[in-house]
Amino acid sequence: MRSDIQNLIELQKADREILRLKEEIALLPKRVATIEAKLVGTRTTLEKAKAAIKADEALRRKSESAIQDLEVKTNDQYKALMHEIQFAERDIRTNEDAILELMVNAEAREKDIKAAEAELKAETEEIEREKAEALKRTAEDEKQLAEWNRSRDVARAAVNSDLLRHYDRVAKHRGTGISEVREQKCLACQVMLRPQTYNEVRADGALVFCESCQRILYYDTSQAQPVVPVVNSKRRRPHPKFEASQAWYYQPSFQEYGEVLLAFINGDGRSRRRVYDVATGRQIGEICEREGEYRLAFPEDLRETIRLNGNWAESELDEWGTELPMVVLDTLHRDLDMARAEEVSRGHTRSEAVSSEHPAAS
Ligand SMILES: [Zn+2]
């Protein structure tokens, strides 16, 4: 059985508990508010912290981005700089190459200069030698000229003045003033003399003019007999040089003309041929000019020829016109006779200066 006390004790216990609880309940909202207030504060702090983190993160990103930018920028600059360095290095190399080339060129130029100087020295010496030779030759020529002038003055002083005038007049017009007569012909113009004139010429001391060319005529008594080659001549005939700028030939059967004299003159890689009748010295045809040295240019003319000694300036040949002067023709005839005599005495054919001789059959 329960006693009241016990119940009362129980009751009192309950009442106290109730009161405590009621008081506690009454206090609860305040505590909640406090807690809530405290929560708000914490939350704010958290949010602040979060915001701060966010801000930091942004800053970091910004910095990173900046670094990245800077890195990119630095990289670009580096590249540009490298590029510039490469350009500069290439320029340096180009300049170095140019300098090297110039040095090599300078060496070659120096060599050229030395060679040219040596050549100039040699040429100068050669020219000096030639000059001295020319001066010596001129002095000799002048001496000979003076001698010839003296002979000429002596000769002219000895000739009758009317005859001298006639001689000068004809010589001025025809190149020569006097002509030999042979086989009743004036050898300069080849005109046959009348028998009476021929006899007059042959008469010693008579003065006769050619009726055709007006030259003074003379008769050489030593020519009265046909020319016989002088085999035992002590004087040796000079032989023409193989290489000469001018060459004369006797040709026994030239084209349809028969016996002629050929004069070839080389010059400037060309050659010119003049043809003269062997008896009259009159020019046959025009001057023929061809490309190349005459031996190569006129091979067909050089068969069966006899090479003669003869050398006159081409300007002289031009001045003679269409007829060789008597003195020239005589010189060539004499040389031809000597060449034939030489050939007879040797008894065989020489290959160059005198080729085999077959007088024209025509
Ligand atoms: Zn005459």
Side-chain angles (χ1 to χ4, degrees):
M1 90 157 187
R2 221 177 38 167
S3 68
D4 286 336
I5 304 264
Q6 273 187 325
N7 284 328
L8 276 166
I9 293 167
E10 283 298 297
L11 178 62
Q12 193 181 288
K13 203 183 167 181
D15 282 339
R16 267 205 317 261
E17 249 343 273
I18 288 164
L19 187 69
R20 193 194 52 91
L21 284 171
K22 277 187 178 171
E23 280 176 350
E24 197 172 72
I25 286 164
L27 278 171
L28 208 57
K30 220 175 168 184
R31 270 187 78 192
V32 168
T34 307
I35 287 165
E36 272 183 345
K38 207 178 165 189
L39 193 66
V40 166
T42 307
R43 201 171 278 150
T44 304
T45 306
L46 180 67
E47 269 164 14
K48 270 186 185 167
K50 274 187 179 169
I53 284 169
K54 252 187 188 166
D56 282 357
E57 208 158 333
L59 269 176
R60 186 173 61 81
R61 280 207 200 95
K62 204 173 163 190
S63 287
E64 275 173 2
S65 165
I67 285 168
Q68 220 164 30
D69 285 353
L70 280 169
E71 274 172 0
V72 167
K73 204 175 163 194
T74 307
N75 213 21
D76 286 350
Q77 279 177 348
Y78 177 74
K79 277 183 192 159
L81 206 60
M82 280 306 284
H83 219 64
E84 226 168 289
I85 286 167
Q86 275 172 0
F87 268 124
E89 276 175 350
R90 211 172 58 193
D91 281 354
I92 287 166
R93 268 198 304 277
T94 305
N95 282 311
E96 278 174 350
D97 287 351
I99 287 166
L100 199 67
E101 205 181 310
L102 283 172
M103 279 163 75
V104 170
N105 280 353
E107 222 168 288
R109 291 226 172 85
E110 208 150 310
K111 255 185 209 166
D112 287 351
I113 285 169
K114 274 195 183 138
E117 278 172 351
E119 203 175 320
L120 180 68
K121 195 177 168 224
E123 273 175 10
T124 306
E125 282 167 6
E126 181 62 30
I127 283 166
E128 286 301 322
R129 254 200 306 280
E130 279 174 17
K131 217 163 82 180
E133 185 67 29
L135 282 173
K136 201 177 140 198
R137 181 76 182 267
T138 305
E140 281 166 10
D141 286 354
E142 275 171 359
K143 204 174 130 194
Q144 279 190 20
L145 182 67
E147 279 167 20
W148 279 113
N149 274 328
R150 266 195 300 280
S151 307
R152 181 172 174 269
D153 290 347
V154 169
R156 288 181 73 86
V159 177
N160 167 283
S161 61
D162 287 342
L163 191 59
L164 194 62
R165 259 199 300 283
H166 181 86
Y167 172 90
D168 285 342
R169 197 163 50 238
V170 179
K172 190 182 170 192
H173 184 57
R174 299 189 183 274
T176 55
I178 186 162
S179 170
E180 189 187 341
V181 170
R182 218 185 284 177
E183 289 164 6
Q184 214 179 320
K185 274 185 192 168
C186 165
L187 283 186
C189 72
Q190 290 298 309
V191 166
M192 205 76 181
L193 307 184
R194 286 180 296 163
Q196 194 197 333
T197 314
Y198 184 50
N199 287 335
E200 279 173 16
V201 175
R202 294 182 71 170
D204 197 26
L207 195 61
V208 184
F209 304 116
C210 173
E211 287 170 15
S212 169
C213 72
Q214 300 303 314
R215 286 182 180 90
I216 301 157
L217 298 174
Y218 73 96
Y219 185 79
D220 183 356
T221 48
S222 68
Q223 299 288 338
Q225 299 297 317
V227 178
V228 177
V230 185
V231 176
N232 294 326
S233 171
K234 281 176 193 166
R235 192 160 62 90
R236 278 185 63 83
R237 173 179 175 261
H239 289 151
K241 283 180 188 162
F242 183 84
E243 295 295 343
S245 62
Q246 184 177 134
W248 287 78
Y249 287 91
Y250 164 75
Q251 160 65 266
S253 52
F254 179 76
Q255 296 172 10
E256 70 270 32
Y257 300 101
E259 292 177 83
V260 298
L261 296 167
L262 299 171
F264 295 102
I265 294 178
N266 288 330
D268 298 324
R270 303 181 67 78
S271 49
R272 285 175 292 286
R273 181 195 66 196
R274 289 169 169 81
V275 185
Y276 300 95
D277 182 89
V278 78
T280 64
R282 276 190 185 153
Q283 194 167 352
I284 296 169
E286 299 288 324
I287 296 167
C288 178
E289 181 166 306
R290 287 184 188 166
E291 197 82 43
E293 191 258 359
Y294 78 89
R295 282 176 207 280
L296 301 173
F298 300 94
E300 74 277 15
D301 295 346
L302 298 172
R303 274 184 243 120
E304 318 247 293
T305 52
I306 296 176
R307 176 81 186 266
L308 299 175
N309 284 296
N311 193 21
W312 292 273
E314 191 167 20
S315 59
E316 254 184 296
L317 267 68
D318 288 338
E319 275 170 31
W320 297 339
T322 55
E323 193 175 301
L324 291 178
M326 213 54 227
V327 62
V328 170
L329 193 57
D330 278 347
T331 304
L332 292 166
H333 277 166
R334 266 198 303 278
D335 196 50
L336 178 58
D337 289 341
M338 282 171 79
R340 283 171 164 162
E342 196 177 43
E343 204 182 11
V344 168
S345 72
R346 279 167 176 263
H348 67 271
T349 304
R350 294 201 304 111
S351 58
E352 163 45 23
V354 181
S355 18
S356 66
E357 177 202 345
H358 296 288
S362 55

